[in-house]
PDB file of all heavy atoms in Angstrom:
ATOM      1  N   GLU J 141       5.221  35.880   4.834  1.00 89.00           N
ATOM      2  CA  GLU J 141       5.011  36.509   6.139  1.00 89.00           C
ATOM      3  C   GLU J 141       3.770  37.398   6.078  1.00 89.00           C
ATOM      4  O   GLU J 141       3.833  38.549   5.640  1.00 89.00           O
ATOM      5  CB  GLU J 141       6.261  37.291   6.565  1.00 89.00           C
ATOM      6  CG  GLU J 141       7.481  36.379   6.688  1.00 89.00           C
ATOM      7  CD  GLU J 141       8.628  37.009   7.455  1.00 89.00           C
ATOM      8  OE1 GLU J 141       8.502  38.171   7.905  1.00 89.00           O
ATOM      9  OE2 GLU J 141       9.664  36.339   7.624  1.00 89.00           O
ATOM     10  N   ASN J 142       2.655  36.848   6.520  1.00 90.00           N
ATOM     11  CA  ASN J 142       1.377  37.563   6.495  1.00 90.00           C
ATOM     12  C   ASN J 142       0.477  36.988   7.589  1.00 90.00           C
ATOM     13  O   ASN J 142       0.832  36.010   8.250  1.00 90.00           O
ATOM     14  CB  ASN J 142       0.726  37.445   5.109  1.00 90.00           C
ATOM     15  CG  ASN J 142       0.686  36.020   4.612  1.00 90.00           C
ATOM     16  OD1 ASN J 142       0.045  35.160   5.224  1.00 90.00           O
ATOM     17  ND2 ASN J 142       1.396  35.739   3.510  1.00 90.00           N
ATOM     18  N   PHE J 143      -0.673  37.595   7.769  1.00 93.00           N
ATOM     19  CA  PHE J 143      -1.573  37.171   8.844  1.00 93.00           C
ATOM     20  C   PHE J 143      -1.968  35.697   8.720  1.00 93.00           C
ATOM     21  O   PHE J 143      -2.140  35.007   9.726  1.00 93.00           O
ATOM     22  CB  PHE J 143      -2.833  38.038   8.855  1.00 93.00           C
ATOM     23  CG  PHE J 143      -2.639  39.402   9.471  1.00 93.00           C
ATOM     24  CD1 PHE J 143      -2.947  40.557   8.769  1.00 93.00           C
ATOM     25  CD2 PHE J 143      -2.155  39.531  10.774  1.00 93.00           C
ATOM     26  CE1 PHE J 143      -2.785  41.815   9.341  1.00 93.00           C
ATOM     27  CE2 PHE J 143      -1.989  40.785  11.351  1.00 93.00           C
ATOM     28  CZ  PHE J 143      -2.290  41.926  10.633  1.00 93.00           C
ATOM     29  N   GLU J 144      -2.114  35.210   7.492  1.00 90.00           N
ATOM     30  CA  GLU J 144      -2.525  33.822   7.290  1.00 90.00           C
ATOM     31  C   GLU J 144      -1.491  32.833   7.818  1.00 90.00           C
ATOM     32  O   GLU J 144      -1.816  31.711   8.199  1.00 90.00           O
ATOM     33  CB  GLU J 144      -2.773  33.551   5.801  1.00 90.00           C
ATOM     34  CG  GLU J 144      -4.019  34.206   5.229  1.00 90.00           C
ATOM     35  CD  GLU J 144      -3.804  35.674   4.892  1.00 90.00           C
ATOM     36  OE1 GLU J 144      -2.645  36.155   5.026  1.00 90.00           O
ATOM     37  OE2 GLU J 144      -4.774  36.343   4.515  1.00 90.00           O
ATOM     38  N   HIS J 145      -0.223  33.253   7.829  1.00 90.00           N
ATOM     39  CA  HIS J 145       0.846  32.354   8.257  1.00 90.00           C
ATOM     40  C   HIS J 145       1.349  32.658   9.671  1.00 90.00           C
ATOM     41  O   HIS J 145       2.323  32.049  10.118  1.00 90.00           O
ATOM     42  CB  HIS J 145       2.017  32.430   7.276  1.00 90.00           C
ATOM     43  CG  HIS J 145       1.702  31.833   5.933  1.00 90.00           C
ATOM     44  ND1 HIS J 145       1.460  32.599   4.815  1.00 90.00           N
ATOM     45  CD2 HIS J 145       1.564  30.541   5.534  1.00 90.00           C
ATOM     46  CE1 HIS J 145       1.211  31.814   3.783  1.00 90.00           C
ATOM     47  NE2 HIS J 145       1.255  30.557   4.200  1.00 90.00           N
ATOM     48  N   PHE J 146       0.705  33.580  10.350  1.00 93.00           N
ATOM     49  CA  PHE J 146       1.116  33.894  11.727  1.00 93.00           C
ATOM     50  C   PHE J 146       0.621  32.770  12.649  1.00 93.00           C
ATOM     51  O   PHE J 146      -0.560  32.449  12.668  1.00 93.00           O
ATOM     52  CB  PHE J 146       0.524  35.231  12.162  1.00 93.00           C
ATOM     53  CG  PHE J 146       1.124  35.777  13.434  1.00 93.00           C
ATOM     54  CD1 PHE J 146       2.130  36.721  13.399  1.00 93.00           C
ATOM     55  CD2 PHE J 146       0.683  35.329  14.683  1.00 93.00           C
ATOM     56  CE1 PHE J 146       2.682  37.228  14.564  1.00 93.00           C
ATOM     57  CE2 PHE J 146       1.225  35.815  15.848  1.00 93.00           C
ATOM     58  CZ  PHE J 146       2.239  36.769  15.788  1.00 93.00           C
ATOM     59  N   SER J 147       1.533  32.189  13.405  1.00 92.00           N
ATOM     60  CA  SER J 147       1.170  31.065  14.277  1.00 92.00           C
ATOM     61  C   SER J 147       1.492  31.386  15.735  1.00 92.00           C
ATOM     62  O   SER J 147       2.588  31.863  16.055  1.00 92.00           O
ATOM     63  CB  SER J 147       1.929  29.803  13.860  1.00 92.00           C
ATOM     64  OG  SER J 147       1.688  28.753  14.781  1.00 92.00           O
ATOM     65  N   PHE J 148       0.536  31.085  16.613  1.00 94.00           N
ATOM     66  CA  PHE J 148       0.755  31.290  18.055  1.00 94.00           C
ATOM     67  C   PHE J 148       1.450  30.082  18.692  1.00 94.00           C
ATOM     68  O   PHE J 148       1.798  30.126  19.868  1.00 94.00           O
ATOM     69  CB  PHE J 148      -0.591  31.542  18.749  1.00 94.00           C
ATOM     70  CG  PHE J 148      -1.304  32.768  18.250  1.00 94.00           C
ATOM     71  CD1 PHE J 148      -2.447  32.669  17.462  1.00 94.00           C
ATOM     72  CD2 PHE J 148      -0.825  34.036  18.549  1.00 94.00           C
ATOM     73  CE1 PHE J 148      -3.091  33.796  16.995  1.00 94.00           C
ATOM     74  CE2 PHE J 148      -1.471  35.176  18.085  1.00 94.00           C
ATOM     75  CZ  PHE J 148      -2.605  35.052  17.306  1.00 94.00           C
ATOM     76  N   ASP J 149       1.669  29.041  17.899  1.00 92.00           N
ATOM     77  CA  ASP J 149       2.296  27.831  18.439  1.00 92.00           C
ATOM     78  C   ASP J 149       3.735  28.067  18.896  1.00 92.00           C
ATOM     79  O   ASP J 149       4.263  27.294  19.702  1.00 92.00           O
ATOM     80  CB  ASP J 149       2.286  26.708  17.388  1.00 92.00           C
ATOM     81  CG  ASP J 149       0.873  26.241  17.069  1.00 92.00           C
ATOM     82  OD1 ASP J 149      -0.029  26.508  17.890  1.00 92.00           O
ATOM     83  OD2 ASP J 149       0.671  25.623  16.011  1.00 92.00           O
ATOM     84  N   TRP J 150       4.360  29.111  18.354  1.00 93.00           N
ATOM     85  CA  TRP J 150       5.751  29.401  18.716  1.00 93.00           C
ATOM     86  C   TRP J 150       5.863  30.134  20.048  1.00 93.00           C
ATOM     87  O   TRP J 150       6.975  30.367  20.530  1.00 93.00           O
ATOM     88  CB  TRP J 150       6.415  30.230  17.618  1.00 93.00           C
ATOM     89  CG  TRP J 150       6.380  29.590  16.266  1.00 93.00           C
ATOM     90  CD1 TRP J 150       5.656  29.989  15.175  1.00 93.00           C
ATOM     91  CD2 TRP J 150       7.077  28.408  15.857  1.00 93.00           C
ATOM     92  NE1 TRP J 150       5.857  29.153  14.115  1.00 93.00           N
ATOM     93  CE2 TRP J 150       6.733  28.164  14.498  1.00 93.00           C
ATOM     94  CE3 TRP J 150       7.959  27.525  16.500  1.00 93.00           C
ATOM     95  CZ2 TRP J 150       7.240  27.090  13.788  1.00 93.00           C
ATOM     96  CZ3 TRP J 150       8.461  26.457  15.780  1.00 93.00           C
ATOM     97  CH2 TRP J 150       8.103  26.246  14.441  1.00 93.00           C
ATOM     98  N   TYR J 151       4.751  30.511  20.624  1.00 94.00           N
ATOM     99  CA  TYR J 151       4.771  31.305  21.851  1.00 94.00           C
ATOM    100  C   TYR J 151       4.376  30.439  23.053  1.00 94.00           C
ATOM    101  O   TYR J 151       3.369  29.735  23.014  1.00 94.00           O
ATOM    102  CB  TYR J 151       3.838  32.515  21.716  1.00 94.00           C
ATOM    103  CG  TYR J 151       4.282  33.475  20.635  1.00 94.00           C
ATOM    104  CD1 TYR J 151       3.788  33.363  19.329  1.00 94.00           C
ATOM    105  CD2 TYR J 151       5.212  34.472  20.919  1.00 94.00           C
ATOM    106  CE1 TYR J 151       4.208  34.227  18.335  1.00 94.00           C
ATOM    107  CE2 TYR J 151       5.626  35.348  19.915  1.00 94.00           C
ATOM    108  CZ  TYR J 151       5.138  35.215  18.636  1.00 94.00           C
ATOM    109  OH  TYR J 151       5.560  36.076  17.656  1.00 94.00           O
ATOM    110  N   SER J 152       5.154  30.539  24.096  1.00 93.00           N
ATOM    111  CA  SER J 152       4.997  29.683  25.276  1.00 93.00           C
ATOM    112  C   SER J 152       3.774  30.068  26.112  1.00 93.00           C
ATOM    113  O   SER J 152       3.396  31.240  26.199  1.00 93.00           O
ATOM    114  CB  SER J 152       6.263  29.769  26.135  1.00 93.00           C
ATOM    115  OG  SER J 152       6.066  29.161  27.377  1.00 93.00           O
ATOM    116  N   ASP J 153       3.194  29.043  26.746  1.00 93.00           N
ATOM    117  CA  ASP J 153       2.107  29.257  27.701  1.00 93.00           C
ATOM    118  C   ASP J 153       2.635  29.372  29.133  1.00 93.00           C
ATOM    119  O   ASP J 153       1.848  29.588  30.066  1.00 93.00           O
ATOM    120  CB  ASP J 153       1.109  28.095  27.630  1.00 93.00           C
ATOM    121  CG  ASP J 153      -0.007  28.372  26.635  1.00 93.00           C
ATOM    122  OD1 ASP J 153      -0.315  29.563  26.406  1.00 93.00           O
ATOM    123  OD2 ASP J 153      -0.551  27.413  26.080  1.00 93.00           O
ATOM    124  N   THR J 154       3.962  29.224  29.285  1.00 92.00           N
ATOM    125  CA  THR J 154       4.552  29.263  30.640  1.00 92.00           C
ATOM    126  C   THR J 154       5.416  30.493  30.867  1.00 92.00           C
ATOM    127  O   THR J 154       5.478  31.008  31.983  1.00 92.00           O
ATOM    128  CB  THR J 154       5.394  27.997  30.889  1.00 92.00           C
ATOM    129  OG1 THR J 154       6.402  27.892  29.872  1.00 92.00           O
ATOM    130  CG2 THR J 154       4.510  26.753  30.846  1.00 92.00           C
ATOM    131  N   ILE J 155       6.074  30.984  29.816  1.00 93.00           N
ATOM    132  CA  ILE J 155       6.874  32.209  29.953  1.00 93.00           C
ATOM    133  C   ILE J 155       5.921  33.390  30.143  1.00 93.00           C
ATOM    134  O   ILE J 155       4.970  33.558  29.388  1.00 93.00           O
ATOM    135  CB  ILE J 155       7.752  32.420  28.709  1.00 93.00           C
ATOM    136  CG1 ILE J 155       8.760  31.281  28.563  1.00 93.00           C
ATOM    137  CG2 ILE J 155       8.477  33.761  28.786  1.00 93.00           C
ATOM    138  CD1 ILE J 155       9.576  31.345  27.283  1.00 93.00           C
ATOM    139  N   LYS J 156       6.176  34.194  31.166  1.00 92.00           N
ATOM    140  CA  LYS J 156       5.276  35.310  31.473  1.00 92.00           C
ATOM    141  C   LYS J 156       5.992  36.650  31.478  1.00 92.00           C
ATOM    142  O   LYS J 156       7.179  36.733  31.787  1.00 92.00           O
ATOM    143  CB  LYS J 156       4.602  35.100  32.833  1.00 92.00           C
ATOM    144  CG  LYS J 156       3.530  34.019  32.838  1.00 92.00           C
ATOM    145  CD  LYS J 156       2.744  34.050  34.132  1.00 92.00           C
ATOM    146  CE  LYS J 156       1.588  33.043  34.110  1.00 92.00           C
ATOM    147  NZ  LYS J 156       0.763  33.124  35.345  1.00 92.00           N
ATOM    148  N   ASN J 157       5.247  37.664  31.119  1.00 90.00           N
ATOM    149  CA  ASN J 157       5.719  39.039  31.250  1.00 90.00           C
ATOM    150  C   ASN J 157       5.436  39.470  32.685  1.00 90.00           C
ATOM    151  O   ASN J 157       4.278  39.563  33.114  1.00 90.00           O
ATOM    152  CB  ASN J 157       4.970  39.942  30.262  1.00 90.00           C
ATOM    153  CG  ASN J 157       5.442  41.386  30.295  1.00 90.00           C
ATOM    154  OD1 ASN J 157       5.952  41.872  31.299  1.00 90.00           O
ATOM    155  ND2 ASN J 157       5.263  42.071  29.181  1.00 90.00           N
ATOM    156  N   GLU J 158       6.484  39.724  33.449  1.00 85.00           N
ATOM    157  CA  GLU J 158       6.316  40.045  34.870  1.00 85.00           C
ATOM    158  C   GLU J 158       5.509  41.317  35.079  1.00 85.00           C
ATOM    159  O   GLU J 158       4.781  41.446  36.072  1.00 85.00           O
ATOM    160  CB  GLU J 158       7.686  40.165  35.536  1.00 85.00           C
ATOM    161  CG  GLU J 158       8.459  38.852  35.589  1.00 85.00           C
ATOM    162  CD  GLU J 158       9.793  39.010  36.282  1.00 85.00           C
ATOM    163  OE1 GLU J 158      10.084  40.134  36.758  1.00 85.00           O
ATOM    164  OE2 GLU J 158      10.561  38.026  36.346  1.00 85.00           O
ATOM    165  N   ALA J 159       5.636  42.259  34.146  1.00 85.00           N
ATOM    166  CA  ALA J 159       4.935  43.543  34.317  1.00 85.00           C
ATOM    167  C   ALA J 159       3.434  43.406  34.116  1.00 85.00           C
ATOM    168  O   ALA J 159       2.634  44.073  34.779  1.00 85.00           O
ATOM    169  CB  ALA J 159       5.497  44.574  33.338  1.00 85.00           C
ATOM    170  N   THR J 160       3.015  42.517  33.181  1.00 90.00           N
ATOM    171  CA  THR J 160       1.585  42.394  32.873  1.00 90.00           C
ATOM    172  C   THR J 160       0.957  41.110  33.399  1.00 90.00           C
ATOM    173  O   THR J 160      -0.267  41.030  33.529  1.00 90.00           O
ATOM    174  CB  THR J 160       1.371  42.427  31.346  1.00 90.00           C
ATOM    175  OG1 THR J 160       2.021  41.282  30.761  1.00 90.00           O
ATOM    176  CG2 THR J 160       1.953  43.703  30.744  1.00 90.00           C
ATOM    177  N   GLY J 161       1.777  40.122  33.673  1.00 91.00           N
ATOM    178  CA  GLY J 161       1.261  38.837  34.110  1.00 91.00           C
ATOM    179  C   GLY J 161       0.768  37.966  32.972  1.00 91.00           C
ATOM    180  O   GLY J 161       0.275  36.856  33.187  1.00 91.00           O
ATOM    181  N   LEU J 162       0.886  38.440  31.734  1.00 93.00           N
ATOM    182  CA  LEU J 162       0.427  37.688  30.569  1.00 93.00           C
ATOM    183  C   LEU J 162       1.518  36.740  30.085  1.00 93.00           C
ATOM    184  O   LEU J 162       2.708  37.051  30.142  1.00 93.00           O
ATOM    185  CB  LEU J 162       0.048  38.637  29.427  1.00 93.00           C
ATOM    186  CG  LEU J 162      -1.109  39.610  29.686  1.00 93.00           C
ATOM    187  CD1 LEU J 162      -1.278  40.553  28.500  1.00 93.00           C
ATOM    188  CD2 LEU J 162      -2.413  38.845  29.948  1.00 93.00           C
ATOM    189  N   THR J 163       1.107  35.585  29.575  1.00 95.00           N
ATOM    190  CA  THR J 163       2.072  34.651  29.006  1.00 95.00           C
ATOM    191  C   THR J 163       2.539  35.163  27.637  1.00 95.00           C
ATOM    192  O   THR J 163       1.941  36.085  27.062  1.00 95.00           O
ATOM    193  CB  THR J 163       1.449  33.263  28.810  1.00 95.00           C
ATOM    194  OG1 THR J 163       0.406  33.355  27.813  1.00 95.00           O
ATOM    195  CG2 THR J 163       0.869  32.727  30.119  1.00 95.00           C
ATOM    196  N   ALA J 164       3.585  34.524  27.119  1.00 94.00           N
ATOM    197  CA  ALA J 164       4.092  34.909  25.803  1.00 94.00           C
ATOM    198  C   ALA J 164       3.010  34.754  24.738  1.00 94.00           C
ATOM    199  O   ALA J 164       2.861  35.600  23.847  1.00 94.00           O
ATOM    200  CB  ALA J 164       5.311  34.059  25.442  1.00 94.00           C
ATOM    201  N   ARG J 165       2.221  33.677  24.855  1.00 95.00           N
ATOM    202  CA  ARG J 165       1.163  33.458  23.861  1.00 95.00           C
ATOM    203  C   ARG J 165       0.049  34.492  23.993  1.00 95.00           C
ATOM    204  O   ARG J 165      -0.453  35.009  22.986  1.00 95.00           O
ATOM    205  CB  ARG J 165       0.593  32.047  24.005  1.00 95.00           C
ATOM    206  CG  ARG J 165      -0.424  31.693  22.917  1.00 95.00           C
ATOM    207  CD  ARG J 165      -0.787  30.222  22.946  1.00 95.00           C
ATOM    208  NE  ARG J 165       0.401  29.392  22.698  1.00 95.00           N
ATOM    209  CZ  ARG J 165       0.393  28.065  22.718  1.00 95.00           C
ATOM    210  NH1 ARG J 165      -0.730  27.423  23.002  1.00 95.00           N
ATOM    211  NH2 ARG J 165       1.494  27.388  22.478  1.00 95.00           N
ATOM    212  N   GLU J 166      -0.341  34.800  25.207  1.00 96.00           N
ATOM    213  CA  GLU J 166      -1.373  35.834  25.422  1.00 96.00           C
ATOM    214  C   GLU J 166      -0.881  37.193  24.928  1.00 96.00           C
ATOM    215  O   GLU J 166      -1.645  37.964  24.330  1.00 96.00           O
ATOM    216  CB  GLU J 166      -1.738  35.903  26.903  1.00 96.00           C
ATOM    217  CG  GLU J 166      -2.519  34.687  27.400  1.00 96.00           C
ATOM    218  CD  GLU J 166      -2.629  34.655  28.920  1.00 96.00           C
ATOM    219  OE1 GLU J 166      -1.765  35.272  29.606  1.00 96.00           O
ATOM    220  OE2 GLU J 166      -3.563  34.011  29.438  1.00 96.00           O
TER     221      GLU J 166
END
Side-chain angles (χ1 to χ4, degrees):
E141 299 196 0
N142 49 63
F143 282 124
E144 289 80 5
H145 291 105
F146 193 97
S147 174
F148 299 108
D149 294 341
W150 303 110
Y151 296 93
S152 169
D153 269 333
T154 57
I155 297 174
K156 287 190 175 183
N157 182 334
E158 294 181 3
T160 63
L162 297 175
T163 65
R165 186 170 299 177
E166 290 169 336

